[in-house]
Amino acid sequence: MRPLILTLLLTLLLGGCGYNDFQSLDEQSTAAWSEVQNQYQRRADLVPNLVATVKAEAKFEQDTLTQVIEARSRATAIQVTPETLKDPQAFERYQQAQAQLGGALSKLLAVSEAYPDLKSNQSFRDLRVQLEGTENRITVARNRYIQAVQAYNVKARSFPTNITARVFGYAPKPAFTASGDAQSGVAPKVDFGNPNPQPAR
Amino acid sequence: MPLAFFVSFSKLSRPVRAWLAAAALLLMALFAPGLAQAQKLQPIPAPAMHVTDNTNTFDARQKSALEARLVNFEQATGSQVAILMVQTTAPEDIAAYANRVGNTWKIGRRAIGDGLVIIVAKRDRKVRIEVAKALEGAVPDLAAKEVIDEAITPAFRAGDYVGGLSNALDRLETRIRAEALPSPTPPAPDAAQASIDGDDALAGRNPNGFQWYDLAVFLFIAVPLLGGVLRRLLGRGFGSVLAAAIVGGLAFLFTWSVPAAGVAAVLAWVLAMLSWSGLSSRPGMRGLPGVIAGSGFGNVLGGSSRGSSSGGGGFRSGGGGDFGGGGASGDW
């Protein structure tokens, strides 16, 4: 009788082990993460041009500018690779650094409203549009990462696929949490000088 | 796995055991947790036409003129451009809403993804040009912003919605035409509609992510095991029939196609009838054979999603566009 039970058990495990799902879900969440990083990198690449443009405005608030420069260097100093993605603390640090840069940028743009010369400067306006587009892409990429990780984590935590996860070392992954943001998946709202900005979701 | 837990299983009477075995197998197969997310966001209207106006801004003549224009553009270039007029996008900002629209409608050709949506939120006085990734080269953010600032905003301020949109389309179509995208092909049958019980059933993978490979692994490894167990429990005839019925039922669950389920059931019956003495459990049998370990059988439960096609020469989603947040927003 015992071999029969074993046989039956093997059959059941074979049906629901989800090994292949882990392959694709792991891959998907990693790819979604690289997209998030790409977009953050793109934002970081825009900052020097923005800073240079703003510096041309001689009377500009130096504090705000310094904050942006420092936040950018802090944000670019932290790199989260797919390996360290498994470390919630490192992930949290990365997220905070990026959120600080986002906050510093939106403050800079808010302050720039008081400088008519700067506002009418074409290259500053272009940079603002590009920055806005980048923030949108960051939001989309973050949402996709959250969804990919959700699908992966559900597999990694629910029975019976959690057994497979344990055997093959697919630990649950950290996702963005609502710290400093209005809600997870919403990048810090960059205020482009609307008199009555829509609250971010 | 603590096997001791299952030892009491062998103390049960025979039919109960068989029933339990079958039930457990079904439960395992049905174990696919769904993520239901309750959202109180603005609903996205069904895309019946290239121009969707939920604000009654256009009269019938204006709407059909815009529609005809976009249909012609799609026939000439293959690229899909859609216009959506809504009152408001609250609680989302227009960028988030536009992104959802783009990814829900799947505007653009499947293989190319060349889609673009212009969203006007009339009460919010906001407009956005949402560009699929494939067109971000043709219509970069700065260009989209330029179109809004120079073509749309002045006209909208004067209350001329049709004029503003027409001007915007002039510029956008010029940019897309300059992008040297592949020529349009005659509309192929929508792959999402293709049921997998056709002649192309062995194409390997249907849109729902069902893999024949999984079914094959299941049939040739699990079924003999199951058949062996059931035969030992219930005798040759009835055990094989039950195995066939279970497999047929599972196959129907996975594929929703009666022929495929029938084939699977017959195969299962044959396999179960063939003698299979069961595995001898050697103490120390650790690793499973690769093919068993590698058979992910959980992802075959994809709900069969049939795209709704619209009649009357209206808008048919090309099923392509991946919208990653490109484009620009503006207000007037």
Side-chain angles (χ1 to χ4, degrees), chain B residues 69 118 127 129 143-172 331-332:
Chain B
R69 172 179 184 158
I118 303 177
V127 58
I129 298 176
K145 183 72 176 174
E146 191 179 80
V147 169
I148 289 174
D149 286 348
E150 293 176 10
I152 293 182
T153 302
F156 278 21
R157 278 197 184 133
D160 180 11
Y161 293 96
V162 174
L165 289 170
S166 298
N167 291 342
L169 288 176
D170 286 341
R171 290 165 178 251
L172 292 170
D331 39 24
W332 69 90

Side-chain angles (χ1 to χ4, degrees), chain B:
Chain B
M1 286 299 277
L3 274 180
F5 177 76
F6 292 92
V7 171
S8 58
F9 188 79
S10 56
K11 295 200 178 77
L12 298 166
S13 71
R14 202 164 269 196
V16 173
R17 272 203 308 255
W19 189 86
L20 268 179
L25 194 76
L26 270 172
L27 273 177
M28 283 285 183
L30 285 171
F31 210 97
L35 278 168
Q37 288 177 315
Q39 289 178 318
K40 287 198 177 64
L41 304 172
Q42 289 284 336
I44 290 173
M49 310 285 274
H50 288 73
V51 180
T52 309
D53 178 16
N54 289 353
T55 60
N56 297 324
T57 304
F58 308 135
D59 61 35
R61 199 174 42 82
Q62 290 171 325
K63 187 168 186 295
S64 58
L66 269 179
E67 179 71 29
R69 172 179 184 158
L70 291 174
V71 170
N72 287 340
F73 182 68
E74 184 181 346
Q75 281 166 354
T77 64
S79 305
Q80 292 190 313
V81 178
I83 293 176
L84 171 61
M85 306 270 295
V86 294
Q87 288 293 7
T88 178
T89 61
E92 290 171 294
D93 61 356
I94 193 161
Y97 182 78
N99 188 257
R100 276 204 304 137
V101 170
N103 284 320
T104 308
W105 285 6
K106 297 205 181 325
I107 300 169
R109 282 173 285 178
R110 180 181 298 277
I112 303 158
D114 49 346
L116 188 146
V117 201
I118 303 177
I119 311 238
V120 180
K122 215 172 156 184
R123 202 187 309 146
D124 303 342
R125 299 184 81 83
K126 286 206 181 308
V127 58
R128 176 164 180 87
I129 298 176
E130 181 79 8
V131 184
K133 281 185 180 177
L135 287 181
E136 282 181 17
V139 187
D141 295 2
L142 282 175
K145 183 72 176 174
E146 191 179 80
V147 169
I148 289 174
D149 286 348
E150 293 176 10
I152 293 182
T153 302
F156 278 21
R157 278 197 184 133
D160 180 11
Y161 293 96
V162 174
L165 289 170
S166 298
N167 291 342
L169 288 176
D170 286 341
R171 290 165 178 251
L172 292 170
E173 286 179 5
T174 308
R175 284 189 162 274
I176 296 172
R177 280 180 201 274
E179 184 66 4
L181 290 160
S183 311
T185 48
D190 191 352
Q193 306 263 18
S195 171
I196 63 162
D197 52 14
D199 287 337
D200 56 347
L202 290 170
R205 199 182 242 292
N206 82 338
N208 305 332
F210 173 79
Q211 287 170 295
W212 284 93
Y213 165 81
D214 282 341
L215 188 61
V217 168
F218 178 70
L219 261 177
F220 289 101
I221 293 173
V223 171
L225 291 174
L226 172 76
V229 171
L230 289 174
R231 271 196 10 233
R232 292 276 283 274
L233 295 173
L234 303 166
R236 189 182 173 104
F238 187 52
S240 308
V241 170
L242 186 62
I246 290 173
V247 168
L250 284 175
F252 181 74
L253 262 178
F254 295 142
T255 63
W256 294 110
S257 94
V258 176
V263 169
V266 171
L267 265 172
W269 182 72
V270 171
L271 281 167
M273 284 298 281
L274 297 174
S275 67
W276 175 289
S277 52
L279 288 176
S280 60
S281 70
R282 293 190 305 279
M285 194 178 103
R286 296 288 292 250
L288 296 172
V291 69
I292 298 187
S295 75
F297 202 62
N299 67 339
V300 293
L301 272 175
S304 111
S305 60
R306 290 178 177 274
S308 62
S309 71
S310 56
F315 176 79
R316 263 183 84 90
S317 159
D322 174 15
F323 288 77
S329 315
D331 39 24
W332 69 90

Side-chain angles (χ1 to χ4, degrees), chain A residues 81-99:
Chain A
T81 58
E83 284 70 42
T84 54
L85 251 188
K86 293 172 181 147
D87 176 6
Q89 270 108 18
F91 189 85
E92 185 63 27
R93 278 199 300 276
Y94 180 85
Q95 194 188 327
Q96 271 176 350
Q98 294 295 354

Side-chain angles (χ1 to χ4, degrees), chain A residues 40 43 95 98-104 106 135-136 138-139 142 179-183 185-192 200:
Chain A
Y40 274 136
R43 180 171 74 177
Q95 194 188 327
Q98 294 295 354
Q100 273 170 354
L101 176 56
S106 46
E135 292 287 354
N136 273 328
I138 288 172
T139 308
R142 280 173 52 127
S179 72
D181 299 352
Q183 186 192 327
V186 179
K189 183 81 177 143
V190 178
D191 181 2
F192 291 91

